[in-house]
Amino acid sequence: MQVKDNTFLITGAASGLGAATAERLVAGGGRVVLCDLSDVVEAHAKTLGEHARAVRGDVTSGDDIQAAVDAAVELSDGRGLAGVVHCAGVVSVAKLVDREGNPADLDAYARTVQINLVGTFNVMRLAAAAMAKNVPGEDGERGVIVNTASIAAFDGQVGQCAYSASKAGVVGMSLPAARELSRHGVRVMAIAPGVFETPMMSEIPDEAAEALAAAVPFPKRLGKPDEFARLAEQIIINSMLNGETIRLDGGIRMQ
Ligand SMILES: NC(=O)c1ccc[n+]([C@@H]2O[C@H](COP(=O)([O-])OP(=O)(O)OC[C@H]3O[C@@H](n4cnc5c(N)ncnc54)[C@H](O)[C@@H]3O)[C@@H](O)[C@H]2O)c1
């Protein structure tokens, strides 16, 4: 699947990994629909020029994501939606039992799972239904879906029950989704980032960020959003990548 002249939907595109991916795909000659809850997405799409559109939307809403998919099909000049890089997500921290002995809030747990896991399924189902209508290209390929998991899917920390479970669910869906969508010529992959320099991470104190950077075997730093974008681009281009989750983490294994 080539980037040039093809149209991609990027969720979570107002910030961090999604914003960097949109920039990279436009630089490669692609067209992009940037979808995000935040209105910043509109300004970001403007900076990317005529081949970018913004759609404000919530990844847990069927109507919102259908509108984003429709916008991508419209932008594609008849070629259809070629790919999705799904980056929208939230991080949350809560202990099962807090210091005072109170149980964790069940609604907060469900909210994280709803956005990160159910939102991923929502984006996949609507994107795949659109891609299945595409005219097949080389090898019968019609589309590619790149989801965003996390190393917390494998090495979850204390307080990450909700986040780790939601991301482990994203990892778990890759293979069954890839197997099912193979008959439509649609590939499904996930990226499990380590610790990246994005607004999501800027919420943690400097000291903690330095400790995380020092824990990375090599290179001893946080990942840069464009390093994520480059892997997403490679997954789009390389048709043999399918049904797998790739850790992108400098070798870090959380304690
Ligand atoms: N930054 C990291 O170190 C890191 C590590 C592992 C995984 N991730 C994952 O990467 C993805 C991107 O994270 P980031 O670091 O770029 O974070 P970020 O906070 O910079 O960007 C996330 C974007 O998602 C949007 N968003 C949140 N909920 C949404 C919803 N319901 N509908 C639509 N948009 C919504 C936000 O508005 C924001 O623009 C997330 O899924 C995150 O869990 C990040």
Side-chain angles (χ1 to χ4, degrees):
M1 171 72 66
Q2 65 176 31
V3 170
K4 191 169 168 7
D5 299 329
N6 273 322
T7 303
F8 301 89
L9 170 62
I10 319 290
T11 70
S15 175
L17 307 183
T21 302
E23 281 164 35
R24 176 156 279 275
L25 295 184
V26 167
R31 302 174 182 201
V32 288
V33 168
L34 293 82
C35 177
D36 203 293
L37 265 184
S38 160
D39 59 2
V40 174
V41 76
E42 278 149 15
H44 190 50
K46 277 207 183 102
T47 65
L48 296 180
E50 55 170 338
H51 291 317
R53 299 274 185 287
V55 173
R56 291 276 301 285
D58 185 331
V59 292
T60 66
S61 154
D63 288 349
D64 288 2
I65 298 308
Q66 188 59 56
V69 167
D70 291 347
V73 172
E74 200 181 308
L75 183 65
S76 74
D77 236 353
R79 297 173 71 125
L81 173 67
V84 175
V85 184
H86 171 54
C87 297
V90 291
V91 70
S92 63
V93 181
K95 289 189 176 173
L96 277 165
V97 181
D98 73 14
R99 278 190 196 155
E100 285 79 41
N102 302 308
D105 185 278
L106 191 56
D107 289 342
Y109 181 92
R111 185 174 168 273
T112 301
V113 172
Q114 182 70 14
I115 295 171
N116 290 354
L117 180 56
V118 180
T120 300
F121 183 78
N122 189 37
V123 171
M124 277 208 297
R125 75 185 178 103
L126 295 169
M131 288 171 183
K133 296 181 190 143
N134 289 345
V135 175
E138 202 183 335
D139 295 327
E141 191 169 34
R142 289 190 173 86
V144 53
I145 297 171
V146 183
N147 289 323
T148 307
S150 165
I151 58 168
F154 311 104
D155 321 334
Q157 305 288 291
V158 170
Q160 285 193 319
C161 275
Y163 187 69
S164 293
S166 68
K167 295 300 189 177
V170 173
V171 173
M173 288 196 295
S174 296
L175 187 59
R179 283 178 165 159
E180 180 193 329
L181 296 180
S182 61
R183 71 189 180 94
H184 298 293
V186 174
R187 294 182 290 120
V188 182
M189 287 288 293
I191 300 174
V195 193
F196 275 67
E197 256 174 47
T198 69
M200 185 179 273
M201 282 309 297
S202 66
E203 285 166 28
I204 70 166
D206 284 353
E207 256 176 38
E210 279 165 26
L212 280 170
V216 182
F218 187 84
K220 285 208 171 298
R221 60 170 172 80
L222 306 188
K224 299 181 195 309
D226 187 56
E227 290 169 329
F228 173 95
R230 277 189 268 158
L231 180 54
E233 183 182 43
Q234 180 55 220
I235 291 171
I236 290 166
I237 294 166
N238 193 329
S239 297
M240 278 308 284
L241 287 168
N242 196 11
E244 183 55 288
T245 299
I246 301 176
R247 287 183 75 123
L248 183 67
D249 63 3
I252 194 171
R253 299 292 180 270
M254 297 287 199
Q255 289 284 314

